[in-house]
Amino acid sequence: PPGVPASLWWAASAFRTQGSAAAVDNPPVPQPGPAPVADEPEDEKTDEPDKTKQDEKDEGKTEDEDEKEHEKDKTDGAVARVPTVWTQRSADDFSQGEAKGIAVRSDGLACLAPHWAPSGRLPEPYVWALASGSSGTFMGTCDGGKVYRVGSAAPEALFDTGRFGICSLHVAPDGSVLAGTMPGGTVFAITSDGKGSELCTLQADYVWDIVDAPEGGYYIATGAPAVVYHVDAAGKANAIARLKEAHALRLLVAGGALYIGTARRGGLYRRDADGTVVSLYDTADADITDLLAVKDGAVLLSTAPKGSVVSVAPSGEATIVYEDAKRGVMSLARMGDRTIAGLSESGQIVEVIN
């Protein structure tokens, strides 16, 4: 639908919601049988079977010889097939089987897989946003606009925004939850006991991301158009970056700067402390779906619908570390010293090595 980032094509429906004859002709020809045998004369018949040469040979064996012959018969023909040996070397080799408790990397290495378990099903068709913090893990839904808290049993409904969908969640330092909604650009602040109130309403259709601001308050990414706001604890909003893009999708605070990932052209921008905005990377034909800080001041970004993971140095030098032309990369996360990416369509979770 118009105005929606291309990387969200998979949820377009949510936005629209708002031979026998031959046998007769050729009968079988009788085959000649064995010639008839003439009856034996009565005086030549006998009730004892004829002895063969093997029978005569067996009669001459001792008991020891007979036992040895019996043991030999038991081993003869025991092996019906020559054993086959093969080696699993590649990911394609392992893909023929079912992985249980292991993960197979694209380079063919098999390793222990992370433990996972379902957290429960919700009545809404989409879980659009996730956030974790000091007060727990939370989910925001689309075509329902509800916030759920993930517990030890089934997810617990925490707050109903009354909006069509929640496209961003953030757990604030005080444990409250911020929910960015669509359409209309309203942000709700929700307490741990499920009481919510409107923090602010921005001049936007979508609130795509919310992060803590070093100076206090929050940075909030919106679309369309692509504008980033600073909102203080009282809800006062101030635009700090206006970009010539359709959407500001993702935000990252790292190294004293604010990084902004956009859609539809998919650009990566850095806003420095003095307010200067610098363009670092341009995908030209994809959306930037997530941002992740890594060592040496570099930033990893993911793209969709054409999937890739790109490492961008502070200087702007970019290195493509993963590509998938058929599946978009929708999210990035760190798990210990491992970088994890979530793919579209197949719903696979992959580890980005190198």
Side-chain angles (χ1 to χ4, degrees):
V4 178
S7 59
L8 303 180
W9 60 268
W10 52 272
S13 60
F15 288 95
R16 285 196 293 267
T17 300
Q18 190 189 8
S20 59
V24 173
D25 296 338
N26 301 285
V29 179
Q31 297 298 315
V37 179
D39 293 339
E40 294 181 5
E42 287 293 329
D43 56 350
E44 293 183 9
K45 287 184 179 180
T46 178
D47 291 335
E48 294 184 8
D50 293 340
K51 289 185 179 180
T52 64
K53 291 184 178 180
Q54 182 63 40
D55 293 333
E56 294 173 355
K57 182 179 178 182
D58 290 343
E59 285 179 354
K61 288 181 181 177
T62 65
E63 193 172 320
D64 242 5
E65 290 172 332
D66 193 54
E67 182 64 28
K68 287 180 181 179
E69 188 70 23
H70 179 66
E71 290 299 321
K72 181 176 180 300
D73 288 344
K74 287 201 304 186
T75 58
D76 283 352
V79 179
R81 180 184 297 177
V82 176
T84 301
V85 178
W86 69 93
T87 303
Q88 308 285 89
R89 296 185 184 277
S90 68
D92 286 341
D93 293 338
F94 285 107
S95 68
Q96 304 303 313
E98 181 180 354
K100 291 185 178 181
I102 66 165
V104 180
R105 302 189 340 182
S106 57
D107 59 3
L109 180 66
C111 57
L112 289 175
H115 173 73
W116 67 274
S119 58
R121 290 186 176 275
L122 303 179
E124 290 85 357
Y126 299 104
V127 174
W128 199 285
L130 292 169
S132 292
S134 59
S135 53
T137 298
F138 302 87
M139 301 185 290
T141 65
C142 184
D143 200 3
K146 294 182 178 66
V147 177
Y148 290 83
R149 178 163 40 206
V150 180
S152 57
E156 167 199 2
L158 184 67
F159 184 74
D160 186 347
T161 65
R163 300 300 194 269
F164 173 73
I166 296 171
C167 43
S168 58
L169 283 176
H170 175 68
V171 180
D174 64 0
S176 63
V177 179
L178 302 185
T181 62
M182 63 176 178
T186 299
V187 180
F188 291 88
I190 307 162
T191 62
S192 59
D193 59 359
K195 295 178 181 179
S197 60
E198 183 181 315
L199 175 66
C200 64
T201 296
L202 305 172
Q203 295 180 354
D205 292 326
Y206 308 94
V207 178
W208 290 120
D209 205 4
I210 306 170
V211 299
D212 292 325
E215 65 269 33
Y218 313 98
Y219 294 140
I220 300 179
T222 68
V227 180
V228 179
Y229 293 88
H230 176 263
V231 177
D232 64 18
K236 183 180 178 180
N238 177 43
I240 60 171
R242 297 182 183 273
L243 305 170
K244 295 180 180 180
E245 304 278 359
H247 301 269
L249 279 185
R250 292 291 175 260
L251 300 175
L252 172 69
V253 175
L258 173 66
Y259 292 86
I260 307 165
T262 67
R264 304 270 180 84
R265 279 182 51 192
L268 176 64
Y269 299 85
R270 186 186 68 226
R271 182 183 183 275
D272 295 324
D274 61 1
T276 303
V277 178
V278 179
S279 175
L280 295 178
Y281 183 74
D282 189 349
T283 68
D285 59 354
D287 298 346
I288 292 183
T289 56
D290 212 350
L291 299 173
L292 186 67
V294 291
K295 61 182 181 180
D296 301 326
V299 171
L300 282 184
L301 64 85
S302 58
T303 68
K306 181 181 178 181
S308 67
V309 176
V310 183
S311 175
V312 182
S315 63
E317 181 182 358
T319 304
I320 298 175
V321 297
Y322 175 81
E323 282 188 295
D324 191 329
K326 296 181 179 180
R327 299 175 295 182
V329 181
M330 304 304 296
S331 59
L332 296 170
R334 293 289 289 179
M335 190 171 64
D337 59 352
R338 304 166 76 177
T339 300
I340 307 299
L343 306 185
S344 65
E345 292 193 58
S346 62
Q348 281 186 313
I349 305 296
V350 301
E351 180 183 358
V352 182
I353 56 178
N354 300 329

